[in-house]
Amino acid sequence: DLAGEQALAPGTNLGADPIGSALRADAEPTLDGLVEVASLARDRGVLGVVVDATAVHDLGASDVQELAYAAAVGAAYLRALVAAGLSVDEAAGLVEFRLAATDEQFPTIAKLRASRRLWARILEVSGAEDDTMRLHAVTSRPMMTKYDPWVNMLRTTVAAFAAGVGGADSI
């Protein structure tokens, strides 16, 4: 038992992201363990799956490529969980998205808003009744400079502001 007998805090995410993990490790992606972690999370009343698009952002993906990755991986996870017997709404309720927020304020706002529209459309086509998306924004690692912390503070401030305006649930 992952959590023992203690209750997990609301908003906890067990963080299963087999495709993102494989991408970061330069390995062949599989969905091994996804259903087991999601079932454990459902039983505990917490989130279980992360679609971490920062994996491609950190490799140099554009905003559009990051959105495409998030939509494709989110759909793959949704299919796997539904195939394992969860309803579309149950499966979608276990998923959280993680996108990068950069110091390019308006493109970041647009990207986060577009991600919500994409996910809502995927859920609509899948027959879900609820189109809620949990969105976590992470300040971009590639935008940071190695030698100037003051510039990094300015960049992360703009990125955090853009993430908030763009509709991120957490930053």
Side-chain angles (χ1 to χ4, degrees), residues 14 33-44 48 81 84 86 94:
L14 301 183
L34 179 72
V35 173
E36 291 79 12
V37 173
S39 296
L40 178 62
R42 185 188 62 192
D43 295 344
R44 294 286 183 177
L81 295 174
L86 277 72
L94 295 171

Side-chain angles (χ1 to χ4, degrees), residues 74-92:
Y77 290 169
L78 191 64
R79 280 189 205 106
L81 295 174
V82 169
L86 277 72
S87 73
V88 174
D89 287 306
E90 282 179 319

